Amino acid sequence: ADTLYPTWMSGWAMLGSGDDGAGASSSQRLPLGRRRLRNSWEFGGRYRISDKLVLRAGVELESRAICELQKNEEVLIIELGLVIRASEPRLRARVRADCGKLGWLTAEVPDSPPLLDPLNLYSRAAGRSTLFGRPPCRAPVMKRMSVSSSQEAEETWEVGGKYRTLANTQLRKDAELNSPVLCQLKRGVLVLVQDIRRVQWHPSVEGALRLRVVHERGPGLRPLLGWISAAGNTGEPLLDVRDQLEYMKFMTAMRSEPAGSMT
């Protein structure tokens, strides 16, 4: 579908040559570029709902309603589909909601703003500060249902999850708050959580949540390993709560579960 103008034009087009030789030769340029445009939807991306949406069992608009998702809830996109109704195309997305439900909703329709905020909450851009000093990827409005355990997450983070730092963060050698500083992790880097521990530094104060993390710096560089705090001195989050590996974990669980058992 051509979505450049409010009224979409949809149809079928050949993207490459066929085996029968009827299509264009391989030397000709492909009709579509390979670079994803801004505000495109990504498989495995996490997006915030812009208004109330009905989650349905199938891609068809008349399929059984599962539940209603509220504004600012978040969903993980699993796949996309196009539905034509009264000659008008509608972009449908199969999603996993934070409540654990799996189903289809409408992501975009002609002559209307997208029904999901197009900012992928896993992206580096989502962790940048706004003019008001708060990143657009603020905490989700509801507790998530963990893909790994199919239970409501007790802690915001989980061992084996990969998360993005929201601020420059000190990486220390041990879990204790006064242990030696190894380095400072920059805002926007990804870290893999290996352990979670609460450290009591005063009897009258709740223990500080500490996370043992690994930061892979790239080819030829040794990974950084140490402990960070989940929140700053004033309670501001230092680590995003969204697991960057959620899509991979979900797809692995889908392949290992009997057909139709994940809903």
Side-chain angles (χ1 to χ4, degrees):
D2 181 358
T3 62
L4 181 62
Y5 301 102
T7 301
W8 293 2
M9 181 178 293
S10 63
W12 292 89
M14 181 174 290
L15 300 184
S17 60
D19 295 336
D20 58 1
S25 67
S26 58
S27 61
Q28 291 179 323
R29 295 182 61 186
L30 295 175
L32 294 181
R34 295 183 180 274
R35 189 176 65 178
R36 186 173 56 246
L37 297 180
R38 185 181 179 184
N39 293 340
S40 297
W41 309 107
E42 302 178 51
F43 290 169
R46 174 172 275 269
Y47 300 91
R48 183 176 290 121
I49 294 175
S50 300
D51 206 344
K52 289 182 180 181
L53 291 176
V54 176
L55 189 69
R56 296 187 178 274
V59 66
E60 301 83 8
L61 299 175
E62 299 80 10
S63 61
R64 175 177 58 86
I66 298 174
C67 65
E68 186 176 69
L69 301 179
Q70 304 301 312
K71 180 178 180 180
N72 289 331
E73 286 191 46
E74 297 177 11
V75 294
L76 178 76
I77 288 188
I78 307 301
E79 61 178 298
L80 296 169
L82 192 67
V83 171
I84 307 297
R85 185 172 188 177
S87 302
E88 183 179 83
R90 294 170 182 252
L91 182 64
R92 300 277 285 168
R94 190 181 186 216
V95 302
R96 181 184 187 270
D98 278 348
C99 63
K101 298 290 186 182
L102 183 66
W104 290 84
L105 52 73
T106 300
E108 201 169 353
V109 296
D111 201 18
S112 179
L115 302 176
L116 304 179
D117 187 326
L119 176 66
N120 185 353
L121 296 170
Y122 286 139
S123 67
R124 182 184 288 266
R128 295 173 186 156
S129 297
T130 65
L131 294 175
F132 303 100
R134 296 177 60 190
C137 64
R138 58 188 182 273
V141 297
M142 65 177 297
K143 284 188 176 182
R144 74 182 190 281
M145 189 72 72
S146 173
V147 174
S148 303
S149 64
S150 298
Q151 299 290 331
E152 233 180 44
E154 293 295 328
E155 296 287 1
T156 305
W157 302 272
E158 65 180 26
V159 173
K162 182 176 284 189
Y163 306 90
R164 191 179 298 280
T165 56
L166 297 178
N168 294 341
T169 308
Q170 287 184 335
L171 184 72
R172 293 183 178 270
K173 182 179 180 181
D174 300 306
E176 289 71 25
L177 297 173
N178 59 353
S179 67
V181 176
L182 300 177
C183 67
Q184 182 166 263
L185 297 178
K186 293 185 178 180
R187 182 181 67 188
V189 303
L190 298 177
V191 296
L192 181 70
V193 174
Q194 291 189 331
D195 193 10
I196 300 175
R197 190 180 303 175
R198 283 200 176 272
V199 176
Q200 196 76 32
W201 61 276
H202 194 279
S204 63
V205 180
E206 183 183 6
L209 191 63
R210 301 279 286 166
L211 301 99
R212 187 174 189 260
V213 301
V214 177
H215 170 48
E216 299 284 350
R217 295 189 291 171
L221 298 175
R222 293 181 60 185
L224 298 174
L225 173 65
W227 291 82
I228 64 173
S229 293
N233 295 332
T234 59
E236 75 279 9
L238 301 178
L239 198 63
D240 189 19
V241 300
R242 299 166 182 87
D243 185 0
Q244 301 271 336
L245 302 179
E246 182 183 9
Y247 177 71
M248 183 190 72
K249 292 177 180 178
F250 175 81
M251 297 306 294
T252 300
M254 283 280 288
R255 286 191 290 268
S256 62
E257 292 287 336
S261 62
M262 296 195 72
T263 56

